[in-house]
Amino acid sequence: MSVSRREFVLASGAVLLAPGVLGSAQESVQPIVETIRNASTEGQAAVVEALRSLTTNPGALLRNLGEPSRGGIQVLYNDARLTILNIVWAPLMVLRPHDHNMWASIGVYTGREDNIYWERTSGGIKAKRAGSFGVGEVGSMGPDGVHSVVNPIDKLTAAIHVYGGDFFAPGRTSWAGENHEPQPFNQEGLKKHFEASNARFGL
């Protein structure tokens, strides 16, 4: 059974802010959202600087977002132009290669996130480089980027993920199996993967 954008977003605890706009009901996250929204009007580079500024005070983010207790996705803000997510990776969680079809910037505020960046080839995708991001560090990709994610530690990792568009829009691709076979990105599959990853550690 497929999950619609609205069903997935609402399942994360988001609320309707205005027609076509969803976001968190928590008042404590609104300053975070407004900082990033204001920066986004000047482009991705400004968002990167905003994330660097926010993640230099991880204690404040933990107080405002809440201490993570299990892996999952919290929608802080989402419309056609911008998506802001609080993503918590379960311990040792691995997310296979996928694209976004929009730029993306990620600021880690607890734990560590490892990324492999892939390039598209005539035969599929090929690993190109890697990056490892700890607290206070920011990683970015352009709209054509493909990456896979690993939480390399046996504790939860959390980061603010910002996308230059609607993260839940259709048309994305993921690559599965040892031969990296392309297939449509599946939101229901993503949800199940988080649940399975949590279950491994009894979260």
Side-chain angles (χ1 to χ4, degrees):
M1 181 180 69
S2 64
V3 174
S4 70
R5 164 190 178 271
R6 183 178 178 83
E7 288 171 330
F8 188 96
V9 174
L10 293 179
S12 74
V15 298
L16 188 66
L17 301 176
V21 180
L22 294 143
S24 173
Q26 296 176 241
E27 288 186 11
S28 61
V29 310
Q30 295 313 307
I32 300 169
V33 170
E34 289 309 306
T35 294
I36 296 171
R37 286 186 66 197
N38 291 338
S40 71
T41 63
E42 299 180 21
Q44 185 181 13
V47 168
V48 168
E49 291 308 311
L51 286 172
R52 284 197 178 115
S53 178
L54 287 166
T55 56
T56 56
N57 190 350
L61 287 176
L62 287 167
R63 287 191 297 273
N64 290 331
L65 294 169
E67 189 78 31
S69 59
R70 64 198 312 270
I73 297 177
Q74 177 189 14
V75 179
L76 305 184
Y77 184 86
N78 172 250
D79 66 15
R81 188 187 67 85
L82 183 71
T83 301
I84 307 171
L85 305 177
N86 178 35
I87 297 184
V88 180
W89 304 114
L92 306 178
M93 185 174 177
V94 178
L95 191 63
R96 66 193 185 196
H98 60 278
D99 62 17
H100 300 114
N101 296 331
M102 64 195 80
W103 61 257
S105 293
I106 297 102
V108 177
Y109 64 90
T110 185
R112 176 162 292 278
E113 180 178 313
D114 289 355
N115 284 247
I116 298 174
Y117 300 99
W118 304 76
E119 62 179 352
R120 301 171 195 262
T121 68
S122 58
I125 57 171
K126 179 181 179 181
K128 184 177 182 180
R129 61 186 178 89
S132 184
F133 306 99
V135 175
E137 297 180 314
V138 178
S140 286
M141 293 183 296
D144 296 325
V146 175
H147 76 145
S148 52
V149 182
V150 177
N151 176 8
I153 58 178
D154 60 357
K155 59 176 279 190
L156 296 166
T157 286
I160 299 174
H161 294 234
V162 184
Y163 304 89
D166 183 0
F167 176 87
F168 302 96
R172 295 172 56 196
T173 302
S174 64
W175 287 261
E178 63 179 308
N179 295 319
H180 297 127
E181 296 293 332
Q183 56 188 241
F185 188 90
N186 185 290
Q187 300 287 1
E188 174 67 11
L190 178 62
K191 180 180 176 182
K192 289 180 178 178
H193 185 46
F194 270 100
E195 291 304 320
S197 298
N198 284 323
R200 287 177 61 200
F201 285 83
L203 301 176

